[in-house]
Amino acid sequence: QVQLQESGPGLVKASETLSLTCTVSGGSMKNYYWNWIRQTPWKGLEWMGNLFYSGNPNHNPSLGSRISLSIDESKKQFHLKLSTVSAADTAVYYCARSRNVLFRYGVDVWGQGTTVAV
Amino acid sequence: QSALTQPASVSGSRGQSITISCTGTSNDVGGYTYVAWYQQFSGKAPKLVIYDVNNRPSGVSNRFSGSKSGNTATLTISGLQTEDEADYFCSAYNIRGILLFGGGTKLTVL
């Protein structure tokens, strides 16, 4: 059974870069899309972006050029970098898996989430 | 304000059925069948309960069902049980290539 685990600093200073890593265990990264989704009480769930196991990142235009996604299949990890953070980026960050570029099968596996405060 | 509109709260008694609506536009809910529903308990990650409008992942109770009409998708929970008390979110693929979520609905079982 695939499990995802987020890791990274729980506190980031304003204007700096937020960096998180998601480690995949119990399954392959191949043929799946790997997502970052965040949640706040005031904005709810927000899809930030994803990338296929072989690359080809796609991100929410609302984040502009602040977001950077990467994947290291050999380490079974994928990464999120969000630059120039502000208090509005304080959230619970989830890494998650989806099977299809159009999210036909939904987001079927989620990490437990990690809280990041700015 | 979330891209997809859900009621803030719904309630029902044990054994009853409830529905939760999720309204979008022809660019997301109305344009594709790629609507999903998630159950979230406090402090936990969301769990997928419906995908592709009306399909259940393995292990999800058949008391959960989904449907769609026009720009509105609906989650129905029948035979309500106390353990169903949670927050429920919808998601839908948008023509801009992004995944949209609803604002969430808090279900209270009376």
Side-chain angles (χ1 to χ4, degrees):
Chain A
Q1 182 162 339
V2 174
Q3 293 186 315
L4 308 180
Q5 178 67 59
E6 304 89 351
S7 59
L11 184 63
V12 181
K13 292 181 179 178
S15 80
E16 294 190 346
T17 296
L18 179 161
S19 297
L20 294 176
T21 294
C22 183
T23 301
V24 180
S25 61
S28 172
M29 296 191 77
K30 201 156 283 189
N31 296 324
Y32 292 102
Y33 290 82
W34 302 95
N35 299 266
W36 289 98
I37 297 167
R38 64 183 181 181
Q39 184 174 27
T40 61
W42 50 89
K43 226 179 160 185
L45 289 163
E46 180 185 25
W47 178 79
M48 301 180 70
N50 68 5
L51 67 173
F52 197 44
Y53 78 101
S54 58
N56 193 25
N58 181 32
H59 68 271
N60 193 322
S62 68
L63 297 170
S65 60
R66 294 200 299 136
I67 186 171
S68 173
L69 304 175
S70 62
I71 193 165
D72 186 341
E73 196 185 352
S74 66
K75 291 185 177 179
K76 297 183 76 174
Q77 292 180 331
F78 60 107
H79 309 280
L80 166 70
K81 289 188 187 297
L82 186 65
S83 64
T84 323
V85 297
S86 69
D89 295 308
T90 293
V92 176
Y93 286 77
Y94 293 102
C95 59
R97 186 188 80 172
S98 55
R99 297 169 179 258
N100 175 272
V101 66
L102 304 182
F103 298 97
R104 177 180 179 182
Y105 304 102
V107 179
D108 63 346
V109 180
W110 296 68
Q112 65 182 29
T114 187
T115 300
V116 179
V118 178
Chain B
Q1 188 171 355
S2 298
L4 306 178
T5 302
Q6 297 180 233
S9 63
V10 298
S11 62
S13 300
R14 283 183 59 194
Q16 286 186 330
S17 294
I18 63 95
T19 61
I20 299 173
S21 61
C22 171
T23 300
T25 71
S26 58
N27 290 327
D28 37 70
V29 175
Y32 305 90
T33 62
Y34 311 136
V35 176
W37 290 91
Y38 306 85
Q39 176 190 61
Q40 186 179 35
F41 296 107
S42 180
K44 300 295 186 183
K47 172 192 171 186
L48 180 69
V49 294
I50 293 287
Y51 66 91
D52 206 12
V53 174
N54 58 5
N55 290 277
R56 283 186 310 275
S58 173
V60 173
S61 170
N62 59 9
R63 297 185 299 103
F64 290 83
S65 62
S67 62
K68 191 187 79 160
S69 178
N71 296 337
T72 298
T74 301
L75 173 69
T76 300
I77 307 175
S78 58
L80 212 53
Q81 299 180 3
T82 53
E83 56 261 38
D84 298 330
E85 189 161 291
D87 293 327
Y88 291 85
F89 296 87
C90 62
S91 73
Y93 174 79
N94 178 272
I95 196 172
R96 292 177 294 158
I98 63 176
L99 184 65
L100 300 177
F101 286 97
T105 300
K106 182 177 179 61
L107 169 61
T108 300
V109 180
L110 304 171

